[in-house]
Amino acid sequence: MPTPATYASPAADKTRENHRLLNEFYPPLSLDTPRRSPMRELISTVLSHRTTHADEELAYDRMLEALGDWAGVLAAPTAELAHAIRTTRWPDTQAPRIQEILRRIWAERGAFELDFLADWPTEKGMGWLNDMPGIGLKTASLVLLFNFGKPVLPVDTHVHRIAQRVGMIGPKASADKAHQVLLEQLPKDALALLNFHKHNYWHGQKVCFFTRPDCARCPLKGFCNYYLEHHGPATPEALAATPTHWNTAWGALAH
């Protein structure tokens, strides 16, 4: 059962308590098998910007079906690539970005692969990826954490929203600032950071919605600023009624 906590507790304490409780609430993950190849992780994350996962997957599949492989994507007329990825939010912006990313990777590495990042220091890999057009901290962190087990933390819209609502970061802190703040508050361990990211990602999808969050189901209510502001202090009865584990009957957890 979640234990009461003071709403005035330091942000770092809230981050650690979030990590502990969501580790119990959601199933643990491992770094043994990356969910996607490094190149797919990179390009798919570029496609995913303000786009649903289903539309991102459709755009990726259509792109390779139409153009064959990365060499074909790079050589294609930009308008043809934009048409292939038309289910994304901004295909006319993303198409030239993807081609420039591929152009740079080929020019520097002579192959469409990112395996060399495994041997690079984290900071060097992060800087190299961030220098690409359209690749920010979130995309670079996803590639380095998911594919190469680097101790970095992706902060997407779900992680950012929960961090602000709970009080792990300031209410006006940007996503880029959240990368730095949360990383300083968590263990410098890739597996811990992976679970923190994915558990908060799932929590934002399934419980802490953008509108009308399901606070009754949330194990973070004992120290969440949003809960305090909208429902008052969490009572012993509310805490006792809170589920302690995700029930698969409530829905499948995404990729």
Side-chain angles (χ1 to χ4, degrees), residues 136-208:
L137 284 173
K138 184 191 80 169
T139 301
S141 297
L142 282 169
V143 172
L144 292 176
L145 175 62
F146 281 41
N147 293 105
F148 303 110
K150 303 292 185 180
V152 292
L153 177 65
V155 176
D156 64 6
T157 55
H158 297 300
V159 177
H160 188 227
R161 178 171 68 254
I162 292 167
Q164 286 184 320
R165 283 179 173 173
V166 170
M168 297 184 281
I169 59 174
K172 296 183 179 180
S174 67
D176 282 359
K177 180 65 174 177
H179 277 88
Q180 173 190 342
V181 172
L182 294 174
L183 194 57
E184 290 173 352
Q185 296 171 351
L186 290 162
K188 304 302 184 286
D189 175 79
L191 184 58
L193 295 169
L194 171 71
N195 278 277
F196 180 87
H197 165 76
K198 288 297 294 186
H199 290 162
N200 279 279
Y201 172 82
W202 285 335
H203 205 60
Q205 283 190 324
K206 299 296 187 178
V207 176
C208 194

Side-chain angles (χ1 to χ4, degrees), residues 2-211:
T3 54
T6 172
Y7 291 98
S9 62
D13 289 348
K14 292 188 173 191
T15 301
R16 287 187 285 268
E17 188 68 355
N18 165 290
H19 185 39
R20 183 184 72 81
L21 288 172
L22 295 190
N23 270 350
E24 297 174 357
F25 195 76
Y26 294 106
L29 298 104
S30 76
L31 282 164
D32 295 341
T33 305
R35 63 177 182 175
R36 306 188 280 205
S37 70
M39 283 296 298
R40 173 153 193 174
E41 191 70 57
L42 179 68
I43 301 302
S44 287
T45 306
V46 172
L47 291 171
S48 72
H49 186 58
R50 295 191 180 276
T51 298
T52 67
H53 179 64
D55 284 342
E56 167 213 321
E57 292 279 287
L58 182 58
Y60 184 91
D61 291 342
R62 282 178 171 173
M63 174 180 66
L64 292 184
E65 286 171 5
L67 305 174
D69 56 16
W70 296 124
V73 173
L74 178 56
T78 303
E80 186 176 344
L81 173 56
H83 180 72
I85 63 170
R86 61 190 179 276
T87 56
T88 61
R89 179 70 170 169
W90 294 291
D92 292 332
T93 299
Q94 301 294 41
R97 283 180 175 173
I98 289 170
Q99 289 182 318
E100 179 59 20
I101 290 167
L102 294 175
R103 186 175 294 111
R104 291 195 193 185
I105 292 173
W106 181 262
E108 292 189 28
R109 309 303 307 179
F112 296 113
E113 59 87 17
L114 300 174
D115 291 347
F116 63 93
L117 292 171
D119 300 322
W120 280 16
T122 302
E123 294 75 14
K124 183 178 179 180
M126 185 71 77
W128 187 84
L129 289 166
N130 284 159
D131 192 49
M132 298 282 184
I135 297 181
L137 284 173
K138 184 191 80 169
T139 301
S141 297
L142 282 169
V143 172
L144 292 176
L145 175 62
F146 281 41
N147 293 105
F148 303 110
K150 303 292 185 180
V152 292
L153 177 65
V155 176
D156 64 6
T157 55
H158 297 300
V159 177
H160 188 227
R161 178 171 68 254
I162 292 167
Q164 286 184 320
R165 283 179 173 173
V166 170
M168 297 184 281
I169 59 174
K172 296 183 179 180
S174 67
D176 282 359
K177 180 65 174 177
H179 277 88
Q180 173 190 342
V181 172
L182 294 174
L183 194 57
E184 290 173 352
Q185 296 171 351
L186 290 162
K188 304 302 184 286
D189 175 79
L191 184 58
L193 295 169
L194 171 71
N195 278 277
F196 180 87
H197 165 76
K198 288 297 294 186
H199 290 162
N200 279 279
Y201 172 82
W202 285 335
H203 205 60
Q205 283 190 324
K206 299 296 187 178
V207 176
C208 194
F209 308 117
F210 179 73
T211 57

